[in-house]
Amino acid sequence: MADIAVAPRAKPQFREASAWDQLKHNRNWLGLWFMLPAMGFLIFFLAYPLGLGIWLSFTDTRIGRVGHFVATENYEWLWDDAIFWLSVFNTLLYTFLASAIKFAIGLYLALLLNENMPFKAMLRAMVLIPFIVPTVLSALAFWWIFDSQFSIISWSLKHLGLISQNINFLGDTTWARICVIFANIWRGVPFVAITLLAGLQTVSPSLYEAATLDGATRWQNFRYITYPLLTPIIAVVMTFSVLFTFTDFQLIWAMTRGGPVNATHLMATLSYQRAIIAGQLGEGAAISSAMIPFLLAAIMVSWFGLQRRKWQQGESND
Amino acid sequence: MHDFTRRALLQGGTALAATGALTGPALFEFAKAWAQESPWKPEAGAKLTVMRWKRFVPAEDEAFNAIVAAFKTATGVEMNVFSESFEDVQPKASVAANTGSGLDLAWGLHTLPQLFPTKVLKMNDVADYLGKKYGGWTDAAAKTCKLGNDWLGIPVATNGGYMTYRKSATDKAGFKEFPKDFPSFLEMCKALKANNTPAGFALGHASGDANGWLHWLLWGHGAYTVDQNDKVIINSPETAKALEYCKALSETFIPGTPSWNDSSNNKAYLAGELYCTLNGISIYVAAKTDPTKKELTADTYHALHPVGPVGKPTELQLAVPILAFNFTKYPNAAKAFVAFMLEKENFDKWLDGAQGYLTQTLNAYENAPVWSADPKNAVFAQASKRTLPASGIGTPGEKAATAIADFIVVDMFANYCTGSKDAKGAMAEAERQLKRIYR
């Protein structure tokens, strides 16, 4: 038998996977690639402005001029600034009162609109009206309504013989605070009401049927079914409501510009006045940065409140 | 067809040019001639974006638009002009200055160019050209725009604010002539209140009106925010006297003045609820153009500010300077436009359109036809000459501009008048803020 010369089989050419191949095909790296656009977006549009704002607060930057690092000088100045502390007080008062009242009215409206009633769709649409009017327009309307000379409220009360002089709505410090809080409530109630209504609609009617068969009253239905199931959405809604109210600017600026005698200056409006109107960017940034701890606290309360609700993962509450 | 030669137009040789009232085709002819002779040749393809304050007198806006149209036609420079409210001009100009883009020219108020001196185009040649041609600049106008020997902008005009009052009310109060000093002015306001025809002056964050009348009161008592060396001197016996006087005066006011912005007194006066206030001529112009307000128009008069214990005028009138940013791609076009705005053939017509709302800062325009067209306009002709710069006796600049913009003097008076703070507290707060700015 003739020897058959067997030609040695050519070894398959294996190429070591390059780092680039690994980056292309490794699932973990691929995940990173997909995340990069979102990360870039967040860094560029959210983290960078925040970081820049905080950096500016440690400088003496003025409009149109690069500043120098002044460490905590801006904060030390603000610490002894009576107008700054007045704005902190105003902001907390404004946020607390407006948010609490918006929640109460919003919850009441949501419960009402969740019932079967005639013209339900129309009523739901009407509740949204304050929300669809541009903020500045509604602020101007309130400015007129509460005008010291031309208020429709003063005019009506005078013609009814209930008052003899115009009420000094925006010229008196207490009245001015009440007026801006009222305007904020009017503007913010639809957000709370409609969001809570959406939450209410996710509650299964069978729960109410079962509870009713067991003899539960309407209050017990609310206390033991509606409220617990609505809690997560209340936490989210109130977090957003507090954040929006705390950082409100347009209503105040259009109605009072922080007056009279700074009685309605919020931290946001004071920051704008100092940074943009008066040109002191560093100081304005410090006022804005001073809002961050308050805002973080509001988020944390909501976050940990939600975390504690283990039933969301199928466990009972703590 | 108009047949104007370039030389005739430039020398004012025609009847129209002599009155400075060029309109329509004549204005275009003049503009063409001017463009050929102009020391500033706009860059090829130049395009200027101009931000200005929103007009209060429509005819002024029309006159301004006519100037823009003539310049555009004569030079080929594309013009994009937009308006912002008084309060919004400065923030938007600041943003442009900070980002280095968006605007070529900004026309705002007070000491706008001094807020960002490193970002403006020096206008020395334009100021020199106009000053030599038109009898020089008024003192306050020059101080408002100059930093050392450099012109940071051109003081286009002053928006004069004077006493606007109902003669029937002041007559009834026993003052046949408008008071000329502080004590009699206070007595008149007391009498106006007693007759239920009250006076009222803004004590809110009103950039023009509140800053205007409160600085007048402060300076009239010999008190200033800073001295000639920019040392803060607000906490003084003179300031205390000014506060006392202001409080006494504010007790005679119509309720609500702490909430007033710049438009509030206009509304109240035109509604027949206010009988004496400090304002530009816009109240009178609005009344004149409203057929239902003939009686109010006839009864409305203007007067100079009464003089305080210091014995000389201490007014703060609102300067309205224009600036070009140094990042503009078309500096020659920008300079040419500013110079063109203030040429007699344009400016007289413009002043006429403003009907007294704008006052010249170049001395040659003192006899502009608008000041004699209606005797009630005449008072406003003096605004640029009588005013102090916004810094008072201190150095005009970004510090003074910051103090004005941050309402430090306004808040000091408002704090005391509303009872929010006592005199010492109000002065101490203002002093602290001023020391921060002038550190």
Side-chain angles (χ1 to χ4, degrees):
Chain A
M1 196 170 135
D3 288 341
I4 300 170
V6 177
R9 285 174 65 181
K11 278 187 181 173
Q13 293 290 316
F14 286 113
R15 184 170 61 86
E16 287 291 320
S18 68
W20 172 242
D21 288 334
Q22 285 186 24
L23 287 179
K24 268 200 305 188
H25 300 298
N26 182 299
R27 288 176 64 81
N28 293 333
W29 279 103
L30 211 56
L32 181 71
W33 292 139
F34 283 125
M35 275 178 59
L36 269 183
M39 275 174 59
F41 186 85
L42 290 174
I43 290 169
F44 191 74
F45 289 108
L46 298 178
Y48 171 70
L50 180 67
L52 181 64
I54 294 171
W55 163 250
L56 282 175
S57 73
F58 293 110
T59 69
D60 61 358
T61 308
R62 292 191 54 92
I63 292 282
R65 195 197 303 151
V66 177
H68 303 99
F69 182 71
V70 293
T72 55
E73 192 203 280
N74 286 321
Y75 292 97
E76 287 163 32
W77 151 257
L78 289 174
W79 188 260
D80 291 326
D81 182 0
I83 298 174
F84 169 72
W85 285 111
L86 181 61
S87 79
V88 173
F89 168 77
N90 291 335
T91 309
L92 292 174
L93 181 80
Y94 183 76
T95 306
F96 179 76
L97 282 180
S99 301
I101 298 172
K102 275 189 283 193
F103 173 68
I105 298 174
L107 181 61
Y108 171 73
L109 278 175
L111 291 169
L112 205 66
L113 293 172
N114 198 35
E115 299 287 325
N116 280 321
M117 61 169 72
F119 310 113
K120 194 162 74 175
M122 197 177 77
L123 288 171
R124 284 180 181 179
M126 280 173 67
V127 168
L128 274 176
I129 287 174
F131 207 52
I132 58 174
V133 178
T135 312
V136 170
L137 264 188
S138 50
L140 288 176
F142 276 111
W143 179 45
W144 271 104
I145 289 168
F146 296 128
D147 189 277
S148 303
Q149 270 74 47
F150 306 104
S151 165
I152 183 71
I153 301 170
S154 291
W155 185 89
S156 304
L157 294 175
K158 267 166 86 174
H159 280 74
L160 288 169
L162 296 174
I163 57 171
S164 57
Q165 278 196 327
N166 286 345
I167 301 169
N168 193 6
F169 284 115
L170 296 180
D172 175 83
T173 52
T174 308
W175 268 116
R177 285 186 178 124
I178 293 170
C179 291
V180 292
I181 289 172
F182 181 87
N184 182 277
I185 291 168
W186 180 85
R187 171 117 191 111
V189 158
F191 170 70
V192 179
I194 296 296
T195 318
L196 290 183
L197 178 62
L200 283 175
Q201 306 226 312
T202 63
V203 181
S204 169
S206 61
L207 294 173
Y208 294 112
E209 283 166 21
T212 309
L213 286 174
D214 288 343
T217 61
R218 285 176 72 84
W219 167 248
Q220 285 170 324
N221 274 345
F222 175 77
R223 175 67 187 85
Y224 296 107
I225 299 173
T226 310
Y227 176 69
L229 292 177
L230 209 55
T231 306
I233 204 151
I234 288 175
V236 174
V237 167
M238 288 315 292
T239 304
F240 277 96
S241 180
V242 166
L243 295 186
F244 291 155
T245 313
F246 196 90
T247 54
D248 195 7
F249 172 82
Q250 291 181 77
L251 268 178
I252 301 292
W253 198 251
M255 283 177 72
T256 64
R257 290 187 187 271
V261 286
N262 301 315
T264 60
H265 245 322
L266 302 187
M267 292 167 83
T269 53
L270 186 65
S271 166
Y272 178 77
Q273 184 178 302
R274 296 261 169 96
I276 307 296
I277 304 283
Q280 303 174 103
L281 270 181
E283 195 178 314
I287 298 171
S288 288
S289 300
M291 294 166 78
I292 294 173
F294 295 101
L295 297 171
L296 275 178
I299 293 169
M300 290 298 151
V301 167
S302 161
W303 176 255
F304 288 115
L306 282 172
Q307 288 267 310
R308 283 180 61 242
R309 298 214 152 261
K310 290 182 180 171
W311 54 264
Q312 288 186 93
Q313 285 84 44
E315 299 172 36
S316 61
N317 283 332
D318 286 339
Chain B
M1 184 181 162
H2 297 282
D3 183 22
F4 299 112
T5 63
R6 186 171 74 223
R7 189 165 300 279
L9 278 163
L10 288 175
Q11 290 175 345
T14 69
L16 279 173
T19 60
L22 293 185
T23 53
L27 180 57
F28 286 115
E29 288 299 324
F30 163 72
K32 272 191 224 167
W34 186 89
Q36 286 179 37
E37 300 276 327
S38 163
W40 302 279
K41 303 295 176 204
E43 296 80 358
K47 182 181 177 182
L48 296 177
T49 301
V50 185
M51 175 175 63
R52 62 158 291 181
W53 50 274
K54 199 166 278 178
R55 88 288 188 280
F56 282 71
V57 177
E60 177 271 310
D61 200 36
E62 286 162 23
F64 180 72
N65 290 342
I67 293 170
V68 171
F71 181 76
K72 189 176 166 184
T73 307
T75 61
V77 174
E78 200 174 324
M79 301 288 292
N80 171 26
V81 181
F82 67 97
S83 308
E84 293 290 346
S85 67
F86 260 156
E87 283 84 2
D88 291 337
V89 168
Q90 187 262 320
K92 294 200 172 178
S94 296
V95 171
N98 219 36
T99 56
S101 66
L103 292 173
D104 298 289
L105 292 146
W107 190 26
L109 63 156
H110 281 313
T111 49
L112 183 69
Q114 306 274 7
L115 274 178
F116 22 79
T118 60
K119 298 287 177 178
V120 299
L121 185 67
K122 302 283 186 295
M123 288 276 192
N124 297 356
D125 45 355
V126 180
D128 196 41
Y129 165 83
L130 290 168
K132 278 183 183 157
K133 194 168 179 183
Y134 295 112
W137 299 93
T138 58
D139 186 50
K143 282 180 179 161
T144 296
C145 282
K146 281 181 84 171
L147 182 65
N149 291 322
D150 287 330
W151 289 77
L152 305 177
I154 294 296
V156 178
T158 303
N159 168 219
Y162 281 103
M163 295 293 167
T164 300
Y165 65 98
R166 297 277 294 268
K167 183 126 179 46
S168 58
T170 52
D171 282 352
K172 193 178 168 194
F175 290 81
K176 297 290 174 199
E177 267 198 3
F178 199 87
K180 289 188 166 52
D181 58 38
F182 280 17
S184 49
F185 179 64
L186 177 59
E187 289 310 311
M188 185 193 77
C189 288
K190 283 180 180 171
L192 285 173
K193 189 191 181 189
N195 293 338
N196 204 24
T197 56
F201 298 78
L203 275 164
H205 285 178
S207 307
D209 292 341
N211 270 313
W213 84 275
L214 290 168
H215 277 85
W216 156 61
L217 276 197
L218 183 76
W219 297 340
H221 282 91
Y224 293 92
T225 50
V226 294
D227 65 11
Q228 289 90 341
N229 301 315
D230 287 342
K231 185 183 166 213
V232 175
I233 54 166
I234 190 75
N235 202 337
S236 67
E238 289 80 13
T239 304
K241 282 179 190 162
L243 286 171
E244 290 304 332
Y245 181 84
C246 188
K247 183 158 195 170
L249 201 62
S250 69
E251 282 162 5
T252 71
F253 290 173
I254 187 171
T257 53
S259 71
W260 279 9
N261 65 18
D262 280 302
S263 68
S264 303
N265 60 349
N266 297 52
K267 286 186 296 175
Y269 190 97
L270 290 168
E273 296 192 1
L274 180 66
Y275 294 81
C276 177
T277 191
L278 185 131
N279 204 65
I281 205 169
S282 57
I283 288 179
Y284 178 62
V285 171
K288 261 204 304 196
T289 49
D290 185 346
T292 65
K293 299 213 178 322
K294 281 187 177 167
E295 195 185 331
L296 188 140
T297 308
D299 193 28
T300 294
Y301 283 78
H302 301 115
L304 297 170
H305 296 54
V307 172
V310 293
K312 58 184 179 185
T314 52
E315 295 158 20
L316 171 60
Q317 305 290 1
L318 205 60
V320 278
I322 194 166
L323 63 90
F325 289 105
N326 56 10
F327 47 79
T328 179
K329 290 178 189 166
Y330 313 110
N332 283 338
K335 285 181 177 178
F337 177 67
V338 174
F340 182 70
M341 281 165 69
L342 277 96
E343 292 285 8
K344 183 174 173 59
E345 288 75 5
N346 291 320
F347 203 70
D348 272 350
K349 179 72 182 162
W350 193 5
L351 285 182
D352 194 43
Q355 299 175 67
Y357 194 73
L358 295 179
T359 305
Q360 71 286 332
T361 46
L362 284 161
N363 293 318
Y365 294 128
E366 270 176 26
N367 299 318
V370 65
W371 305 127
S372 49
D374 180 341
K376 290 181 180 177
N377 295 353
V379 162
F380 289 87
Q382 302 185 49
S384 298
K385 286 220 155 168
R386 285 173 64 98
T387 183
L388 297 181
S391 55
I393 54 173
T395 312
E398 64 179 2
K399 291 173 179 173
T402 298
I404 293 254
D406 209 13
F407 299 107
I408 290 174
V409 166
V410 173
D411 282 347
M412 179 184 75
F413 278 105
N415 269 319
Y416 186 58
C417 292
T418 59
S420 294
K421 280 191 163 58
D422 62 14
K424 278 186 179 174
M427 285 192 291
E429 185 175 282
E431 182 183 34
R432 189 173 174 276
Q433 286 180 277
L434 286 165
K435 279 185 174 169
R436 165 83 170 163
I437 291 168
Y438 282 90
R439 69 189 187 279

